[in-house]
Amino acid sequence: MGNLRDNPGALLCVVGARPNYMKMAPLLRAFRSNPALPPAVLVHTGQHYDPMLNDRLFADLALPRPDINLGVGSGSHAVQTAEVMRRFEPVVDEHQPSCVVVVGDVNSTLACSLVAAKKGVPVAHVEAGLRSFDRAMPEEINRILTDQLSDLLYTTERSARDNLAREGIPAERVHFAGNVMIDSLLFHKSRAVPAVQTLQAARAGFGAEGYGVVTLHRPSNVDEPEALRESLDILREVSERLPLVCALHPRTVARVDSFGLSHLLNTGRIAVLPPQGYLEMLGLMAWATLVLTDSGGMQEETTALSVPCLTMRENTERPITIEQGTNTLVGRDRALILRLVDEILATGGKRGRTPELWDGRAAERIAAHLARWLATHPMPLHA
Ligand code: UD1
């Protein structure tokens, strides 16, 4: 161990992929406006590089340009994770950070946590302790390992503490802070682009009937031809009851094309859009009759917006959205989905309530806690 440092090193704040940005934006604002914290440096690993998954969202969320871009791009999980690690290590060496702050559960989250932990740099994980108990999801493996490596675990719902306790993580590392993704939602809600505008621009002239919003990109739904065909068949049937707007991830578009399934989306009642900006998506969700998705974040956003959400997965790491919110797990159960769609059309569906501490101030609480923690945990110089 080296000497204690006089000047605390920066907070290295890491983002890699789309769902990270709406979590990091409020954190960065809170860190930079808290004078008790060291300067915050934004590192983008480059996991997502597509302009619609990336630059557009930065602008919408008022996220400053990254100070450092590692430019890793796509690859297998091993290659992508290893490449982030290889490129992040010299950044840690150069900055000697007082803490590495990671959010969510993408490959970049784990890769940067592992580099930091091995160098004795404290790791703060925001959105810790969520578990789907499904290790077939790459994100579940990222969550478990990131939490093991973290010194500070900020959680979004109380069930996370029990998950972490079961994995042997000491309770004093765990802090229930609330949901930074909902900080972003509340901060930007008044600027959401009206859905009618987005639909007009996409020439989707759905009338008074309303519409449903669809996103699908999980490997379990889109990587196998049969699973994807089944998902698209369901969408087609739902669209006979309610027109659908599908904002499709590039991965899904590629699979639809390569499996020769694009005809299934070819109906006047399904509008296929590219990935949307944050403010467009917020508007589309806010005015929707229902949302059909396999996304993690949209389960939470629909709960905060009080819009019924049918989640096309067998499990969720966000149980509070089911217990208190508007979410229902439907997998690819065609009969169940059609029944619930009919019910939503008839009654408006599940209304739910806003979970505890989803109040728009989670990032502020995290900044204040982190400042206190750093003041009482002076950092040794790294090897
Ligand atoms: C990643 C996250 C997932 C998150 C999703 C949101 C992991 C393990 N997964 O999944 O949790 O829900 O982001 O978008 O980190 N691609 C592009 N352009 C890009 C990025 C990717 O076309 O800018 C295509 C490439 O074909 C790539 C594939 O999408 O191989 C998968 O990208 P990757 O970053 O590996 O994971 P996502 O599926 O986007």
Side-chain angles (χ1 to χ4, degrees), residues 115-177:
V115 170
K118 289 256 178 116
K119 290 190 164 284
V121 176
V123 176
H125 183 206
V126 177
E127 201 189 78
L130 296 180
R131 296 291 181 270
S132 65
F133 305 101
D134 175 6
R135 290 205 186 193
M137 286 179 79
E139 294 82 2
E140 181 75 353
I141 295 170
N142 293 341
R143 293 180 196 118
I144 293 169
L145 296 177
T146 301
D147 286 339
Q148 283 295 331
L149 297 167
S150 296
D151 301 85
L152 292 161
L153 297 98
Y154 295 109
T155 61
T156 53
E157 58 174 277
R158 288 192 185 272
S159 67
R161 177 180 291 270
D162 304 330
N163 296 336
L164 294 168
R166 266 196 303 276
E167 291 170 16
I169 291 174
E172 60 270 20
R173 291 194 199 162
V174 182
H175 311 279
F176 177 39

Side-chain angles (χ1 to χ4, degrees), residues 61-118:
L61 290 159
L63 248 178
R65 286 181 70 81
D67 301 291
I68 298 163
N69 198 322
L70 305 180
V72 297
S74 295
S76 70
H77 284 266
V79 166
Q80 191 174 59
T81 309
E83 203 52 40
V84 173
M85 289 180 68
R86 214 173 62 75
R87 298 188 192 195
F88 188 58
E89 184 173 44
V91 176
V92 173
D93 287 341
E94 185 194 335
H95 287 266
Q96 300 270 313
S98 50
C99 186
V100 167
V101 181
V102 295
V103 294
D105 55 17
V106 304
N107 287 341
S108 303
T109 309
L110 171 60
C112 294
S113 305
L114 188 48
V115 170
K118 289 256 178 116

Side-chain angles (χ1 to χ4, degrees), residues 17-19 47-51 53-54 73-75 77 80 105-108 138-139 142 217-219 249-251 254-255 295-296:
R18 175 172 63 179
Q47 178 175 339
H48 277 178
Y49 45 85
D50 187 292
L53 289 179
N54 204 45
S74 295
H77 284 266
Q80 191 174 59
D105 55 17
V106 304
N107 287 341
S108 303
E139 294 82 2
N142 293 341
H217 72 280
R218 296 250 157 249
H249 187 292
R251 161 199 203 98
R255 298 291 189 270
S295 149

